[in-house]
Amino acid sequence: MSKLAVIGAGSWGTGLAIALAPRFDRLSLWARTEEHARQIGESRENRRYLPGLRLPDHLQVTSDLRTALDKSSIILSVAPSTFTRTLYSQMLPWLDTGMTLVSATKGLEKVTLLRMSEVITEVVASRFTPQVAVLSGPTFAMEIARGDPAAVVIASNNLRIAERV
């Protein structure tokens, strides 16, 4: 049984969660605030970012990182780049070597100019050597969530990880 945790409940995170839901037995969507998580969970729609698109029934919405990450095989982070280092530092106690960490966040870290994959590796390497990949492509959240044709690329310095993702 596989589980995907999408960390970030903005338009991109919600769109990816909807699009990827058929590929996972279980999935969670983490929202930064309890209020936003509750609204999405109760209405089964992210009215703030993707109004009109229903969330799959098996998607769990939470504002608790531990709950979101629990038993996940893939962690897909989509939070803004300014929060990536802090977010991975907060997630670190619940990450393990069996998880693949995928970044779908655009941009560089402002102070260090590191790519998000480098930030993730740097933070997680304090506990173990992480399996990191990056999702990128010329896409829009609404199109992805609707299932419109799109092309994305998965990149990793480890071909086996990229192929698995």
Side-chain angles (χ1 to χ4, degrees):
M1 191 176 267
S2 60
K3 181 182 174 193
L4 168 70
V6 178
I7 307 300
S11 59
W12 191 217
T14 303
L16 286 169
I18 291 169
L20 294 171
R23 300 178 189 279
F24 291 88
D25 302 317
R26 298 176 305 136
L27 69 153
S28 58
L29 177 64
W30 176 83
R32 189 175 49 84
T33 68
E34 188 175 330
E35 178 185 336
H36 193 210
R38 188 173 20 80
Q39 178 273 314
I40 295 170
E42 289 174 0
S43 67
R44 306 308 297 163
E45 175 183 344
N46 191 336
R47 292 180 180 149
R48 185 183 305 167
Y49 295 108
L50 289 178
L53 293 175
R54 181 160 172 74
L55 298 178
D57 291 335
H58 69 293
L59 184 143
Q60 173 192 26
V61 184
T62 182
S63 62
D64 181 74
L65 281 172
R66 182 179 195 167
T67 300
L69 299 172
D70 187 46
K71 297 184 176 111
S72 295
S73 54
I74 297 178
I75 312 301
L76 176 61
S77 58
V78 294
S81 60
T82 54
F83 302 115
T84 299
R85 185 174 295 276
T86 301
L87 192 53
Y88 270 87
S89 295
Q90 292 170 346
M91 293 190 311
L92 195 56
W94 303 294
L95 298 177
D96 66 56
T97 58
M99 296 172 167
T100 301
L101 311 175
V102 181
S103 174
T105 299
K106 297 174 185 168
L108 301 174
E109 188 174 44
K110 195 172 191 174
V111 175
T112 65
L113 300 180
L114 293 174
R115 296 184 313 270
M116 293 304 101
S117 57
E118 294 171 315
V119 172
I120 294 165
T121 299
E122 192 173 277
V123 171
V124 178
S126 67
R127 279 198 51 224
F128 58 88
T129 302
Q131 301 177 70
V132 180
V134 176
L135 181 147
S136 183
T139 57
F140 294 97
M142 182 62 82
E143 294 170 351
I144 293 293
R146 286 191 314 233
D148 294 352
V152 296
V153 173
I154 299 294
S156 176
N157 61 4
N158 183 320
L159 183 58
R160 195 173 45 84
I161 293 169
E163 288 172 340
R164 187 171 0 124
V165 173

